[in-house]
Every structure is written in C-alpha cells, then in structure tokens.
Amino acid sequence: MRLTLRLLSSVVQRRPFYVTTPIFYVNAAPHLGHLYSAVVADTIQRFEKLVDPDCEVIFSTGTDEHGTKIQQAAANAVLSPAEYCSKISAEYRDLFKDYDVEYTDYIRTTEDRHKRAVRHFWNKLLEKDYIYKSQYSGWYSVNDEAFVPEAHVRDEVRNGQTVKVSAESGHKVEWTEETNYMFRLSAFKSHLQEWLKNDGVITPNKFQKQLQDLLENETYFPDISISRPSSRVHWAIRVPGDEDQSIYVWLDALINYLTVIGYPDNDAMLKKGRPWPADVQVVGKDILKFHGIYWPAFLMAINWHPPRRLVCHSHWTVDGSKMSKSLGNVVCPRATPVSPSALRYMLLREATMHDDANYSESKAVNIANSELADTLGNLASRCCGAALNPRGEFPPLHTHELAALEQDVSAQLMDHVERLHEVCYGHYRNYQFYKVADAVIRTLHLANVFFECHKPWELRKKLDGQKELDVVLHITMETLRICGIVLQPIIPDLSNKLLNKLQIPLDCRSWQHCEKPSWRIEGAIYETKNILSGKFVLFQRIYVDKKQKKKASA
C-alpha cells in the first residue's frame, strides 16, 4: 500500500518541462535575432508536447528593462523610463503573437514579483558570504553593461582616433573607478569546470568547449562587480539596505528564470511543480558567458543546481554583414516581404546553431515559394482539388492496386515516409531543425515525383482507373498527413491548416500518429472519409514584382 501511494505521488508530482528564452533588452525594437531565439524555444516546447501530449510545459520569455542603456534610450525617445519600457515590451508581445510563440509566462523585470525575487536572491548571496564591498576599477562597456577584463580589451582606430574596445563585442569601453559590491566568482572556478565536464550541458558542443577554454585562463577569472552607483544607474533595483547602489543589470535579469516559477515563495514553486533546474535555456552566443559562467555560479552560491542544458545559437547576418544600426541593416520581422509562417520557417530552415546564418529578402521569398507554395502547397491543392478528387475524400487504400503500382518511385517514397518519424525525432532532439525541414522537403519532393509518375489526371479519365486513382491519392495524402504532423513545431499555423483540410482529428496529431503510415498498419480497415470542402490554398505564392504577379495570373 505504501509503495502504491509513493508511485501515485510521483505521478501527481511529475515535473513540468521548463524552457526559457533570454529576456530581451528593451533599448531598441525587436529584430530578426530576437525573433529567432523565441521561435527556437517555441519549437522545442512544441516538440515536447507533440511527443508527450500530457506533458506540462512552462515556457517563459519577456523583457529586461533596467540599466544605463534604457535610461539613454528613454531620454532619446522623450519618454519616462517606465513609459518607454512598456512601449517596447508591448512590441515584443505583439511580435510573438504574430509568430505563434506560445509562451506560458511573460516576465518584465520592472514587475514587483521580480524585484522581490531579486532582493531575496541578493540577501541569500550575502548570507553565504559571497558578496563583499570593494573599490573597483576597470574597463567598462555601456553597450554590454559589463566590465571587460584587461586581456579582452584592444585598441582600434575609429574616425581617425584610437579607442579602446571590447575584443568580444567590439563595443567601446571606458576606464571606470567606483565602489561596488563584488561577487566571489573566483570561488566557483573548479565547480564550473566540473559542471562543464558533463556532455551536452551546452549545445552545440563547440560552445561548451569555448567555456571550458575560457575557464582555463587564470587571468580571466577574477571576482565580478554586481552593483553600480545609483547616481550613475538610477533606473535599476536598489541594493537591499544600500540606496546608494543599484543591482547589476545582469544579476537582476538572470533571476527572471526563478521569478517565473514563483521564487522565493515555496508554496508558489510547489504549485508550479518545482520545475528547477530548467530543462532548456535558449541563448545567443553573445550572452553565453553570462549564462554559462555567471548564472550557474550564482545558482551554485545559493545551493541550487545549474540549468540542465543551455542551447546556444549563432547570429543572423544580413546580406553577409553583421546587423548594425550604423549600417542601417537591422531587420524588423514585420518589414519583410514574407508572411509570419514563411519567415518562421525560413529562420528554422536556414540556421544551423553552430554558425552564423545569412538573411536576405530574396532568399526568404525563394524558400517560401519553392518549398511552402510549390513543393508542399501545390501538392496538397492538387490531390484535394475537385479536378482529381471530386468526391472530396481521403480515399481508401486498395491492396491489389497498391501492389500493382510502379515499384521504383512508389517504394522510394514509401520508404522515406516510413522512416521520416525516426529521422526527424533525432534531429529535433539535437535541435537541428534545418535537418527536420530538409528531411520533410526531400520526402515531399519524392511525393511530387510519385504523383507525376502515376498521372492521376489520366487515371481520372479511365473507366477502370478509380481504384488506382484512390491509391495514388491516398499515398500522397498520407504523406502529407505525416509531414504535416512532423512540421507542427516548426510551422504550426500551416501544419494545422493542412491537417484540418485532411480532417485529421485533433487527438490524432501527436508524434505517435506519424510513426506508422496506413500501409504498415496490419489488419486496418481503410474507410473512406470526407476532407474539408471548398477551394484550398495552403500557402499563397509571394510576388514581390507586380509585373511578375500579372504575368503569373495571365
């Protein structure tokens, strides 16, 4: 009886899956890189729910709203810091809504619940003697909101003058001397090295290796300043008991991941299922040091575990150049010529995590037209259209006619469809979303070859061709069904539209439902069923040239 109760308790107290984006700094409007971080995290959480529909997910995102850069940006916008933060934070919310980023919690660092969490965390560090006050001097980057070690500063000529810049970010630094509170980061070097020995805590592995190499450098690892004079940084959370000091914006920001789960309220955390350590935290490579060195050290200092995994992605360049305000090439997602579904697809289709990806408008349009409109959309329209499918059915599969099909193209397509779930499962688990898209598109290319080879428009005219036509349409639509399920985490809107057209019930769209195609289910009775009636265009082809559009419609 006791064992039964214990097992029941473990089921009831099952941990939710906790995934986070970084919180986004509101010194400017959101751009393509911010959106990419968000859709990566969203794809991860959607896949978890696809594999396990009973899985509870906590997916947090939000905005980081304190610091010197916010003060400056608000002043430039002729707004109070609070008004400015609310304005930019709302832009992120709207963007994520447009791009189907289904977060469960949106956190702002100006919220009272967060300020309470930060002060409590500070006091915990203080109790454990990991905070001390000291005179600090060093190179400081306003853009990075961080002190930069001497070894990471270089000279650079700009506008005919030699200036000091951060070797990591390229941002200008200035010499600063002030009294700050310090965190004993040096006490955690060996602990961090031990943590980083675990395979997969940082993925891709090249970023884990970067952190390991960083820790080998003795000169890099001093204690760090975790406060600023409030006279200089007034838009920030004050240090508990010391109004003359403001808490360092990065310490403040990192605590958001705990605020979301109810920290420091034990009852609130219990209601959330105690989802710590976080399962996956998505970060860009520019903030890896803060999440892969500072963050785990802060957590270790209060005896909490570091996150289970950091998924670190590279950056987006534009036409081969780094996005920069000075170059005027920062991409606003809403200003692109493609729809949200198409841009979301392109971002996940093109980026590899390991290396920087390149954005261009022509590439976005070409991928959308080639893969979403032609390869996927056109195939769906043809097999669902009245010309070939006047009965509007997902037709039955006839065993005799299936065996009689032209074997080379049929066997190749069916083999790809049968293996697609296994291939894509591995790619999803390794966060290689571009490989998922590639595997699906390859399968759909084969489906188009299969369709053309069997000429269903001719079968439609044959007096005895209905059963063979049924089989061709069935295999094509079954391929579309499985591809639609697989693509749900990447392009949820288009996938749902496709599955709705095929009248696939909502409770038949989980990962298990793509593991076996219909022709591999022993003893199944394939009953004819209707698909959704009406003209069907899954994805409207994009025309950026009016002459091109006019020519296509002629």
Side-chain angles (χ1 to χ4, degrees), residues 504-517:
I504 307 303
L506 292 176
D507 59 358
C508 293
R509 300 183 184 186
S510 301
W511 194 258
Q512 63 176 343
H513 298 110
C514 71
E515 292 177 351
K516 280 189 178 180

Side-chain angles (χ1 to χ4, degrees), residues 65-66 102 121 152 158 164 260 265 306 320 338 379 437 445 506:
E65 303 182 14
H66 289 131
E102 285 192 340
F121 196 94
H152 289 240
R158 293 184 179 178
K164 298 283 187 183
V260 166
D265 187 329
V338 299
L379 183 65
H445 278 311
L506 292 176

